[in-house]
Amino acid sequence: MEKDLLQKEIPSNKWLWKDDKPEVIRNKSIDVEIPLVEEDEITIKKLIDFVRYSQDPILNNKENKDHLRPAVGLAAPQIGVNKNMFFARFEWKKKRKNEETGEVEKYIEAEEYAMINAKIIASSPQLSYLEGGEGCLSVDKNYEGLVPRNYKIQVEGYEWLSKKSINITLRGYRAIVFQHELDHNNGNLYYDRINKEEPFYAEDDWYVV
């Protein structure tokens, strides 16, 4: 596995900063210069390595002493760095027909974004939420309730893997994940958005993801 890592350390729970450290978790992140300096390169590589490793059921099996909670995304403040970076990795289950056997095969397709200086530049008035609520590697307490977010957002920023500036429109689950990570870079956490008086409050037109 070490040869597949982008940096030298094996991802560990010790990297994570929790919400009991507000000096980092509640601090607003700053934009960084591009191309990245070495220190910032290490940060984005750590974010990528952590999420990829956490999603690997073989490397990150539950028998590991330092088992990681599988993550879809991770933002720089969660590893103690107040810089505007995050990594998100989506796995989609797909099917295809084997041309030789004619059988339908299942496979996983990954979609990855290593975002630098990302910003939401437009959003829809339509709200949405994850049916089961949200969780976070930086939050140990289980906060129950619905987390309303924009169903559709437009994001611009620098995508480190492709080394390009991008402008993308995201809907549904991907939009929710991006907003969750961007909240981290603004010093906010998912439970800030839960209705304090009625945690499961939802309006009829909110879209369930």
Side-chain angles (χ1 to χ4, degrees):
M1 169 61 195
E2 291 187 38
K3 65 179 176 59
D4 296 325
L5 294 174
L6 299 178
Q7 46 78 59
K8 295 179 180 179
E9 298 180 46
I10 294 177
S12 169
N13 284 302
K14 294 178 181 178
W15 291 8
L16 298 174
W17 285 58
K18 306 288 185 174
D19 58 352
D20 61 353
K21 299 290 180 63
E23 65 273 17
V24 172
I25 293 298
R26 290 298 190 174
N27 197 18
K28 185 176 175 62
S29 295
I30 61 172
D31 284 353
V32 298
E33 294 292 329
I34 297 172
L36 301 182
V37 298
E38 183 179 0
E39 176 183 308
D40 296 337
E41 286 271 352
I42 292 173
T43 296
I44 193 65
K45 288 176 180 179
K46 278 190 167 185
L47 297 175
I48 295 169
D49 284 345
F50 190 102
V51 173
R52 286 178 175 174
Y53 190 97
S54 77
Q55 289 187 11
D56 191 308
I58 297 175
L59 295 171
N60 185 40
N61 65 72
K62 293 185 177 180
E63 295 179 1
N64 288 350
K65 291 182 179 179
D66 193 25
H67 175 71
L68 309 179
R69 285 165 57 189
V72 178
L74 195 70
Q78 294 182 271
I79 58 171
V81 180
N82 281 126
K83 294 184 179 179
N84 188 359
M85 308 180 193
F86 72 86
F87 177 67
R89 185 177 193 273
F90 305 94
E91 288 192 346
W92 309 111
K93 294 180 180 179
K94 302 275 189 174
K95 294 181 180 180
R96 61 189 169 198
K97 188 175 182 179
N98 187 307
E99 294 183 0
E100 294 182 0
T101 65
E103 295 181 356
V104 176
E105 302 174 332
K106 295 180 180 179
Y107 70 101
I108 292 177
E109 183 177 285
E111 181 181 357
E112 299 182 326
Y113 298 91
M115 299 301 300
I116 311 290
N117 302 338
K119 291 178 176 60
I120 295 175
I121 59 173
S123 58
S124 68
Q126 173 70 56
L127 295 182
S128 64
Y129 61 90
L130 289 181
E131 186 173 15
E134 295 184 21
C136 180
L137 295 180
S138 292
V139 180
D140 288 333
K141 181 179 176 181
N142 181 28
Y143 289 89
E144 294 187 344
L146 304 182
V147 184
R149 298 190 185 276
N150 299 98
Y151 175 74
K152 182 172 76 169
I153 58 174
Q154 186 178 355
V155 177
E156 67 176 12
Y158 182 79
E159 204 288 303
W160 183 83
L161 291 170
S162 63
K163 303 293 188 289
K164 294 178 180 178
S165 294
I166 63 172
N167 185 314
I168 54 174
T169 298
L170 303 159
R171 295 175 177 80
Y173 183 64
R174 294 192 304 162
I176 286 175
V177 171
F178 264 59
Q179 288 171 86
H180 181 110
E181 303 309 329
L182 285 166
D183 264 0
H184 276 298
N185 287 326
N186 285 310
N188 302 317
L189 295 169
Y190 77 92
Y191 57 75
D192 299 337
R193 296 180 178 272
I194 296 175
N195 188 302
K196 301 299 184 291
E197 297 180 358
E198 297 181 57
F200 290 92
Y201 173 83
E203 297 188 9
D204 293 340
D205 64 345
W206 289 7
Y207 189 85
V208 185
V209 176

